[in-house]
Amino acid sequence: MSETDIFKALADPTRRAIFERLADGGRNATELRAGIAISQPAVSQHLGVLRSAGLVVERREGRFVTYSVDPAGVARLHDWLGRYRAFWPERVAALKTLLEDMGP
Amino acid sequence: MTAADDEAPSRTVRFRYELEAPPAKVWRALTEPALLARWLTLPDRVTGDPASPTRLSVLDCVPERLIRYGWQEASDAEATSVVSFRIAPNAAGGTRFEIVHQRLLRPLPKAANSNLRALSCAA
């Protein structure tokens, strides 16, 4: 599961809404659907994509299944953002130095 | 880029700076390869190996206003993004400089795989 899978998984607004509900804590599929006009198979499909992207984990206890956010997946989501949030200020510091060295 | 690509706060980083240098000088530093190489050292995603840097390609250019680069990380074929540098004169005789770096969900356009040396827009 690559970073691209994570970004693609969250590009769909319904899937993102489902993921954000999970951020409040583990839920079963019925709770996830509440208030969204979406069928059970559609929820299952979205959860499948989120699991493939490493963002959601599924826990089965007998007939009961609950879903929750996978913290490792969320950390990977912030990887790219974190990396470039640190990268650009350093590069601009180097740019400013270069501009001074370039003379008038 | 589609409209949806513009609304993507979860995969965009933005910065704005006020630079003392005038726009014409800043433009050179953003577009001339020899000058770019002196400040925009490109990371390799995994190893930081300068022998396998990120590749830049020119996507878009409006002289002394905007240069947009495709950004392809060498060690991850799927890690594509677009870096936009926008500049404008500021009231102090310097330059307002905005960086927008947006992660893409798809490969870079084929036409954009031009060598950075073939920079057709340089003023």
Side-chain angles (χ1 to χ4, degrees):
Chain A
M1 54 201 92
S2 67
E3 268 183 0
T4 299
D5 293 338
I6 292 173
F7 286 108
K8 280 181 178 167
L10 294 176
D12 179 290
T14 303
R15 199 147 59 222
R16 192 183 177 87
I18 291 170
F19 178 70
E20 283 170 1
R21 283 190 178 188
L22 287 173
D24 292 338
R27 294 271 188 277
N28 63 40
T30 304
E31 288 168 323
L32 285 173
R33 271 176 67 205
I36 311 178
I38 185 174
S39 67
Q40 188 53 57
V43 170
S44 295
Q45 198 248 352
H46 284 311
L47 287 167
V49 173
L50 290 168
R51 283 171 60 215
S52 294
L55 290 168
V56 163
V57 289
E58 175 185 281
R59 189 165 60 248
R60 290 181 175 268
E61 291 169 27
R63 283 171 41 229
F64 298 102
V65 183
T66 49
Y67 298 91
S68 53
V69 161
D70 185 341
V74 173
R76 299 205 61 196
L77 172 65
H78 290 121
D79 251 1
W80 189 88
L81 294 173
R83 201 148 35 91
Y84 285 103
R85 280 198 188 117
F87 173 81
W88 287 110
E90 285 181 13
R91 296 298 99 230
V92 173
L95 170 63
K96 288 177 177 173
T97 302
L98 170 65
L99 289 167
E100 281 168 32
D101 289 347
M102 279 166 70
Chain B
M1 283 189 170
T2 64
D5 283 336
D6 290 336
E7 319 148 21
S10 64
R11 51 188 168 91
T12 303
V13 295
R14 288 175 199 273
F15 296 91
R16 183 173 288 179
Y17 296 92
E18 301 293 333
L19 302 174
E20 286 184 6
K25 192 165 151 189
V26 175
W27 181 250
R28 290 184 56 212
L30 300 182
T31 55
E32 290 180 21
L35 292 173
L36 261 179
R38 286 172 59 185
W39 69 275
L40 187 56
T41 49
L42 301 176
D44 175 77
R45 185 173 184 272
V46 176
T47 66
D49 176 3
S52 58
T54 300
R55 286 192 300 278
L56 291 190
S57 52
V58 179
L59 300 180
D60 225 338
C61 186
V62 179
E64 294 197 20
R65 283 290 175 270
L66 166 72
I67 179 102
R68 190 172 274 145
Y69 291 110
W71 184 275
Q72 172 73 61
E73 296 192 24
S75 52
D76 181 354
E78 289 189 327
T80 60
S81 53
V82 173
V83 174
S84 300
F85 294 141
R86 274 183 214 279
I87 63 171
N90 68 19
T95 305
R96 169 160 295 175
F97 175 41
E98 186 190 40
I99 301 171
V100 177
H101 191 171
Q102 184 178 93
R103 185 76 154 79
L104 295 183
L105 302 178
R106 62 187 186 285
L108 288 164
K110 271 233 147 91
N113 286 337
S114 53
N115 189 309
L116 186 56
R117 273 173 251 288
L119 195 56
S120 57
C121 172

